[in-house]
Amino acid sequence: MTAPLPALVPHRVIGTRVRVTEPLPLPLPPPSSAHSHGDGRTTTRAIQFLRECQALGLPTHWEVSAPPIGTPGCTYDLRPLRHLPPPAQHPDESAEFTEWRAAHAYGMLYHRRGPGFVTVMDRRERPAPARFTLDHPDLLAAFDALSEATRLDTLEPAHQQAARHLAEERLALIVDGWAVALPPRVRRWPVPCMGI
């Protein structure tokens, strides 16, 4: 392994594989949902951990904690997370998890840094990939702050607004007042040669 993993969730590293030893608090209700299933800190830290595993190209075994997707009144949108290592298969899982596992590939979402900008390549939605260039100072500051799970109310107002804009573009995720950036910084190739 080229870089240590953050100690955000209990895990073991066995060779070049990662095994998360406790279920993680996913899936997530959509932003418009009135339902709250756990605290945002735990969820965003779990996403940060999975993002770092993906950045390093490490096969990662993890399981989802309850509530299941079938909870009455709750619907879930897992599409923003499909670039992350998918959870282990469960006999009672919904189609959303099966689709995540089938669609997942390394390099679906990633970012690279340049002087004064960040470029993000997003291939989570087929057939058309999207490319974003973050060069506005507030967007860059928010993106950098969200490299770690962060309470939104600790950011300056302009950076809070920028974080919400990143979430609208599905480049960040906000859960119960906590936010985290979604694109990993690619540390292992290959990604498609014309990726960026």
Side-chain angles (χ1 to χ4, degrees), residues 16-193:
T16 60
R17 302 181 74 80
V18 177
R19 185 181 226 6
V20 177
T21 56
E22 293 179 5
L24 298 181
L26 301 175
L28 304 165
S32 60
S33 173
H35 298 276
S36 177
H37 300 295
D39 73 273
R41 179 179 186 266
T42 302
T43 301
T44 54
R45 286 170 56 99
I47 291 169
Q48 179 186 341
F49 180 82
L50 293 173
R51 185 196 68 208
E52 293 308 305
C53 290
Q54 183 66 18
L56 294 168
L58 297 173
T60 305
H61 180 275
W62 64 281
E63 296 179 6
V64 174
S65 65
I69 276 186
T71 302
C74 290
T75 58
Y76 297 88
D77 182 6
L78 297 175
R79 290 174 299 171
L81 305 180
R82 284 190 179 170
H83 67 290
L84 298 174
Q89 191 167 4
H90 188 276
D92 298 328
E93 72 183 15
S94 70
E96 286 89 347
F97 286 105
T98 305
E99 290 168 11
W100 181 354
R101 201 170 293 106
H104 175 73
Y106 183 78
M108 291 177 72
L109 176 70
Y110 59 93
H111 79 272
R112 295 189 68 195
R113 292 191 168 273
F117 69 93
V118 169
T119 302
V120 178
M121 177 57 78
D122 186 354
R123 289 188 173 83
R124 291 173 293 179
E125 293 295 324
R126 302 190 197 287
R131 184 185 310 240
F132 300 88
T133 299
L134 309 177
D135 56 4
H136 188 279
D138 290 335
L139 282 173
L140 282 173
F143 188 81
D144 288 343
L146 300 185
S147 66
E148 295 188 15
T150 304
R151 280 196 60 82
L152 274 180
D153 61 10
T154 64
L155 301 177
E156 295 177 20
H159 299 166
Q160 290 180 34
Q161 185 59 35
R164 288 186 187 94
H165 182 68
L166 291 170
E168 288 170 8
E169 295 294 343
R170 299 183 333 149
L171 301 180
L173 193 66
I174 299 173
V175 181
D176 293 335
W178 284 78
V180 67
L182 292 175
R185 185 170 188 180
V186 177
R187 296 182 180 101
R188 181 181 80 81
W189 297 92
V191 295
C193 63

